[in-house]
Amino acid sequence: MPASAPATSSRATSSFKLPLLDRYVIRQLVIGLAAMTGGAVALIWLMQSLRFVSLVVDRGLSLRTFLGLTSLLIPGFVAVILPITTFLVVLFGYQRMAGDRELTVMRAAGLSSFQLARPGIICAVAATLLCYVLNLWLVPTAYHEFRRYEFQIRNRMAAFLLQDGVFTQLSQDMTVYVRTRERSGELHGILVEDDRQPDAHATILAEHGSMVVIDNQPRVVLYNGSRQEIDRKTGRLNVLSFARNTVDLTPNKKDSAELRDASEMSLHELLRPDPHEVAERDRGKFAVEAWRRLSSPLTVLSFSMIGMVAALGGVFSRHGSFKRPLIAIFGVVGLLALSLMLQNLAGRNLHLVPLIWIVAGLPALAGAAWLFGTEWRENRCAMLGGGPAVPTANGERHRGR
């Protein structure tokens, strides 16, 4: 009795193992998906990172800081590009197998349409789950860190990157000029144009000064200078001389506040936004962003099913066919355009939100019905008493008695 236990365990383990053909097709699809997604994300990252080159060139940031900042955008790129790359890999992967007569051999061996499509479905389901992880957790977290990191670089670290003889614009309402800067951090010949108060624009001059950090805020301590300010009501120039003065180099409170974007909020915060953080007129846009995160991963299944219908649903052509792949590609492009249009319209009318779900998930159900409907009906009839549906070498089926 104990000797039969390992045999029973091995049979139970083998029952969960995918067939050899499934593993072969899945391996081809996964390798192609990783290569295509990686190449597309690298290209998009390179194009988007050009926006931040000025931080390295103009403000002297290190390459490590640049890579750390831009790498936080990669999860968002993967979430956007993964449905498209999955569709392309499934479509052209099955097209390649059809061109190499592999699908013909598999059909002759008795594999049904569902068995042929099963590796693509498994790959699409795995990509869908990955999209949910990205949309619901990784992308908002990474984008929040990106915004916080960029905020610190632009509005705080920039104050420590003042260059000699250059007018440095720290924000839209503050410009600083330093004639010379010593290695010790001592500044000489300082000019500060402070427009943070709309009714009291000030020009501050000082002989020398030094940088300090108080409560994580950069400030400059000025010595032997003057503050010149024009009274808007009287037009008089007020000049105040000082021996020592401290100027906060952070932007205006309204400009420096780290306003949170919808892309960095969690799903709960989007569906139930804080009234102090989100205006009433913008609540629809935040709700649409939440429904988009929940529905967009379903497009992976829909696009993949469109690709499998194009590759497996038609009659085999000895010379190949470009008509069905082109129709599938144009169909996916049309669904993407329709989805973007519905998201924009649903931001103003939340009654259109169900249409977003329909566009995301209905093509998958329609494709499954198109591709497997006849086979399922035949199997159902066979179970009810017509004999099993036996596949023949040419792909047709007849019932045995």
Side-chain angles (χ1 to χ4, degrees):
M1 185 68 181
S4 62
T8 304
S9 177
S10 62
R11 285 196 299 269
T13 303
S14 62
S15 62
F16 292 100
K17 195 173 183 179
L18 288 173
L20 180 61
L21 285 176
D22 285 19
R23 283 180 283 156
Y24 165 74
V25 178
I26 289 175
R27 183 169 60 251
Q28 300 297 319
L29 294 178
V30 169
I31 293 175
L33 181 60
M36 184 174 291
T37 304
V41 169
L43 180 60
I44 297 174
W45 173 81
L46 181 62
M47 295 174 61
Q48 293 295 321
S49 62
L50 294 177
R51 297 185 296 132
F52 305 98
V53 171
S54 60
L55 294 177
V56 178
V57 177
D58 299 336
R59 300 187 177 181
L61 295 183
S62 64
L63 181 61
R64 180 179 179 180
T65 303
F66 169 77
L67 294 176
L69 176 65
T70 55
S71 63
L72 294 173
L73 297 174
I74 292 179
F77 299 155
V78 175
V80 171
I81 203 67
L82 189 58
I84 301 174
T85 54
T86 305
F87 159 71
L88 293 175
V89 166
V90 169
L91 174 62
F92 292 108
Y94 277 96
Q95 284 291 123
R96 182 195 63 79
M97 289 191 293
D100 294 343
R101 308 296 192 272
E102 294 180 5
L103 292 182
T104 304
V105 175
M106 292 179 187
R107 288 186 184 276
L111 270 66
S112 64
S113 296
F114 177 75
Q115 290 172 320
L116 292 176
R118 184 166 54 194
I121 295 175
I122 293 174
C123 182
V125 170
T128 301
L129 296 178
L130 177 58
C131 273
Y132 271 114
V133 173
L134 290 169
N135 283 356
L136 300 182
W137 173 64
L138 194 55
V139 172
T141 302
Y143 191 68
H144 175 69
E145 291 298 320
F146 167 79
R147 294 258 301 180
R148 186 178 63 85
Y149 200 6
E150 185 187 26
F151 176 83
Q152 292 178 351
I153 292 174
R154 292 188 182 277
N155 297 334
R156 296 178 184 177
M157 292 179 60
F160 296 93
L161 301 174
L162 302 176
Q163 300 180 12
D164 299 350
V166 176
F167 286 90
T168 304
Q169 187 174 4
L170 300 183
S171 64
Q172 295 182 352
D173 46 26
M174 177 174 290
T175 303
V176 178
Y177 173 85
V178 176
R179 186 177 69 245
T180 56
R181 181 174 184 172
E182 299 179 357
R183 293 183 177 272
S184 61
E186 187 76 13
L187 309 176
H188 297 275
I190 305 170
L191 181 147
V192 179
E193 185 69 25
D194 187 358
D195 297 334
R196 288 174 293 183
Q197 299 297 329
D199 298 332
H201 295 179
T203 301
I204 304 173
L205 302 172
E207 293 182 1
H208 61 94
S210 59
M211 298 291 302
V212 295
V213 178
I214 301 177
D215 296 331
N216 201 28
Q217 301 291 333
R219 300 183 183 183
V220 59
V221 181
L222 305 176
Y223 300 94
N224 301 331
S226 63
R227 178 185 179 93
Q228 304 174 12
E229 185 176 315
I230 297 179
D231 192 333
R232 297 294 181 181
K233 297 181 179 180
T234 63
R236 295 179 55 186
L237 175 63
N238 299 323
V239 180
L240 174 65
S241 299
F242 59 84
R244 184 178 183 275
N245 188 21
T246 302
V247 177
D248 186 0
L249 295 183
T250 56
N252 194 337
K253 296 296 184 181
K254 296 181 180 180
D255 298 332
S256 62
E258 295 186 72
L259 298 177
R260 299 179 65 195
D261 189 76
S263 301
E264 57 183 315
M265 291 186 176
S266 65
L267 193 65
H268 181 268
E269 292 173 323
L270 291 173
L271 294 175
R272 295 184 178 181
D274 185 355
H276 300 288
E277 198 170 6
V278 180
E280 184 69 26
R281 66 177 183 275
D282 295 331
R283 290 197 172 189
K285 298 179 181 178
F286 283 73
V288 169
E289 171 64 20
W291 296 121
R292 184 200 66 80
R293 291 187 191 178
L294 291 172
S295 62
S296 61
L298 297 179
T299 59
V300 179
L301 289 174
S302 295
F303 294 172
S304 300
M305 189 58 65
I306 291 174
M308 284 184 281
V309 167
L312 301 175
V315 180
F316 173 74
S317 176
R318 185 183 301 273
H319 304 287
S321 176
F322 294 97
K323 183 178 180 181
R324 293 197 302 271
L326 285 177
I327 293 175
I329 292 173
F330 283 122
V332 168
V333 172
L335 288 175
L336 287 172
L338 182 60
S339 178
L340 292 176
M341 182 184 69
L342 287 176
Q343 290 174 22
N344 291 330
L345 294 176
R348 297 187 290 269
N349 185 2
L350 291 179
H351 293 90
L352 298 177
V353 168
L355 294 179
I356 298 178
W357 286 90
I358 292 174
V359 171
L362 184 60
L365 298 178
W370 179 285
L371 197 58
F372 313 131
T374 303
E375 177 183 326
W376 288 341
R377 286 192 297 269
E378 291 179 353
N379 291 335
R380 180 178 176 84
C381 292
M383 292 176 61
L384 294 176
V390 181
T392 60
N394 58 4
E396 299 178 352
R397 290 174 174 268
H398 70 275
R399 291 191 182 88
R401 293 187 178 273

